[in-house]
Amino acid sequence: MTKIRAAITSINGWVPDYILTNDELSKMVDTSDEWIITRTGIKERHILKGNGKGTSVLGTEAVKGLLKKTGISPKEIDLLICATVTPDMQFPATANIISDKAGLKNAFSYDLNAACSSYIYSLVTASKFIEAGNYKKIIVVGADKMSSIVDYSDRTTCVIFGDAGTATLLEPTTEDFGIKDAILRTDGSGMIHLHQKAGGSVRPASHETVDAKEHFIYQEGQAVFKFAVSNMADIAVEIMKKNGLKSEDIAWLVPHQANLRIVEATARRMGIRKDRVMINIQRYGNTTSATIPLCLWEWENQLKKGDNLILSAFGGGFTWGSIYLKWAYDPK
Ligand code: UT7
């Protein structure tokens, strides 16, 4: 029987207009442009402003743009998975809200949360529906309004994160393209280093949790950095070895953009030259579920059919993973 693979056939990104610069942050907390650039590589990030605007706004704009770009009717979409750590609300799923706003009348939809690895986990999940043979068009949204859970008086986290939305279209192919392999990992003991303390069933929202700022990101930066550097590089090297790939076989490394130093360490371990690594952290910061697809979207015109790509991410949970895919189309 012919093997069906899931291939990315189009991609779109959307970022809000407002740009929060390092200089503006320097007026809000005790930090500097120089510190932020040296330690993280970030120069600016986009922020979604306006009351009542959540992650679904980012995702819906990205999906509408994708449908316009491809000329596909919203009714043709079978499934939408929204990778996010900042859903509009606890329930219903943000994916449902996006599907409704974008007119996806025939799609079922749900959210998937694996922190900064949400996009990689979602892409793998979506690919299985396609490989099973009964789903033809799936959209993976990677969207996060990180500014909704960032404490803008905490200099250790507020300089890192930004907001963005993306939409990735997956379709079946029987050719030798698309998602070829993936490795996903989880280690729940890492939870102590990176989490949001309140708002879940353990510590429901109360005056006390709000006063204690427990609805914001809690991150032990150095500990997370250590795990991220080793695990992201290890898993990228593991997927290369598993598929008999040498560094010269890889056209692009597409890493999660958490910190430029983590990205560079991963590329070094894989033996990949810096000009073969997609890096846009300087303009967007860490947009969690949107970092990897934002890169693919920005580099889309440079990608050629048959290019070998390694996607790699590490995030809260801890969660991490790598995907090996063969790009399925030439620039249009
Ligand atoms: O995507 C999800 C996974 N997350 C990550 O991968 C993030 C991993 N961690 C990191 O990227 C880095 O640890 C950070 C960017 C969060 C912090 O960078 P660092 O080089 O690890 O700094 P540090 O935490 O070791 O802090 C060094 C110093 C401290 O001062 P003292 O104690 O040496 O006096 C901090 O208080 O830098 C200080 N510091 C700052 N100074 C100016 C921390 N944040 C800032 C800041 N501006 N924004």
Side-chain angles (χ1 to χ4, degrees):
M1 219 174 80
T2 320
K3 179 158 175 53
I4 301 171
R5 282 207 176 85
I8 294 176
T9 52
S10 191
I11 191 146
N12 191 45
W14 190 85
V15 287
D17 291 336
Y18 190 85
I19 294 174
L20 177 59
T21 63
N22 288 351
D23 287 336
E24 188 177 348
L25 278 167
S26 310
K27 292 180 190 121
M28 294 156 66
V29 289
D30 182 15
T31 189
S32 66
D33 181 47
E34 203 234 326
W35 191 96
I36 303 171
I37 289 179
T38 316
R39 300 292 183 113
T40 70
I42 303 165
K43 190 114 193 88
E44 58 192 34
R45 63 294 285 143
H46 290 249
I47 303 293
L48 181 63
K49 297 270 188 185
N51 286 337
K53 288 187 177 173
T55 294
S56 68
V57 170
L58 303 163
T60 304
E61 291 295 339
V63 170
K64 283 184 175 169
L66 179 84
L67 295 171
K68 194 167 171 210
K69 177 175 169 179
T70 54
I72 291 171
S73 156
K75 295 196 180 97
E76 289 177 64
I77 306 300
D78 303 308
L79 162 63
L80 182 141
I81 299 175
C82 179
T84 191
V85 70
T86 52
D88 278 16
M89 45 188 80
Q90 284 272 20
F91 72 90
T94 301
N96 305 354
I97 300 167
I98 295 170
S99 288
D100 179 51
K101 286 186 187 166
L104 274 53
K105 298 286 180 216
N106 297 317
F108 74 105
S109 48
Y110 59 89
D111 290 355
L112 196 155
N113 178 351
C116 291
S117 307
S118 299
Y119 180 74
I120 295 240
Y121 274 48
S122 298
L123 218 51
V124 173
T125 305
S127 74
K128 300 301 167 195
F129 280 98
I130 287 185
E131 286 167 17
N134 41 353
Y135 295 91
K136 304 283 181 237
K137 285 184 172 47
I138 301 182
I139 294 177
V140 171
V141 167
D144 268 303
K145 185 185 171 186
M146 294 308 291
S147 60
S148 65
I149 55 167
V150 163
D151 174 2
Y152 284 96
S153 65
D154 172 14
R155 69 175 181 173
T156 67
T157 51
C158 75
V159 301
I160 302 170
F161 295 98
D163 303 339
T166 63
T168 306
L169 181 66
L170 287 165
E171 293 181 273
T173 177
T174 50
E175 293 183 279
D176 188 25
F177 300 109
I179 296 176
K180 307 244 317 174
D181 197 14
I183 308 174
L184 303 178
R185 296 261 154 73
T186 304
D187 178 1
S189 68
M191 171 265 211
I192 50 166
H193 302 297
L194 179 52
H195 56 264
Q196 186 179 322
K197 292 191 184 302
S201 54
V202 170
R203 278 181 76 69
S206 66
H207 286 294
E208 192 192 332
T209 62
V210 171
D211 290 345
K213 299 187 169 187
E214 290 180 355
H215 295 269
F216 295 123
I217 297 162
Y218 170 83
Q219 174 169 263
E220 293 163 8
Q222 272 187 14
V224 178
F225 186 92
K226 217 174 71 203
F227 283 104
V229 163
S230 57
N231 287 324
M232 213 163 109
D234 282 354
I235 206 151
V237 169
E238 188 180 339
I239 205 160
M240 281 170 72
K241 282 196 182 142
K242 193 173 160 214
N243 290 280
L245 293 166
K246 300 196 172 54
S247 31
E248 57 269 26
D249 300 324
I250 293 160
W252 295 99
L253 166 64
V254 197
H256 170 52
Q257 318 273 309
N259 186 316
L260 185 59
R261 291 183 288 146
I262 299 173
V263 169
E264 287 173 347
T266 304
R268 263 196 309 276
R269 274 280 306 284
M270 295 169 75
I272 308 237
R273 292 201 326 256
K274 207 173 166 194
D275 62 346
R276 300 281 91 196
V277 186
M278 295 188 194
I279 299 171
N280 59 14
I281 191 172
Q282 64 278 11
R283 283 179 293 118
Y284 301 116
N286 181 351
T287 56
T288 302
S289 308
T291 60
I292 289 176
L294 267 186
C295 283
L296 292 173
W297 170 57
E298 289 207 324
W299 266 261
E300 189 186 22
N301 284 334
Q302 295 180 54
L303 293 171
K304 291 193 285 299
K305 197 169 179 174
D307 277 354
N308 286 324
L309 269 58
I310 302 286
L311 281 44
S312 204
F314 179 87
F318 290 136
T319 55
W320 65 107
S322 263
I323 291 176
Y324 161 40
L325 66 84
K326 228 179 224 311
W327 196 248
Y329 58 98
D330 285 319
K332 305 219 159 97

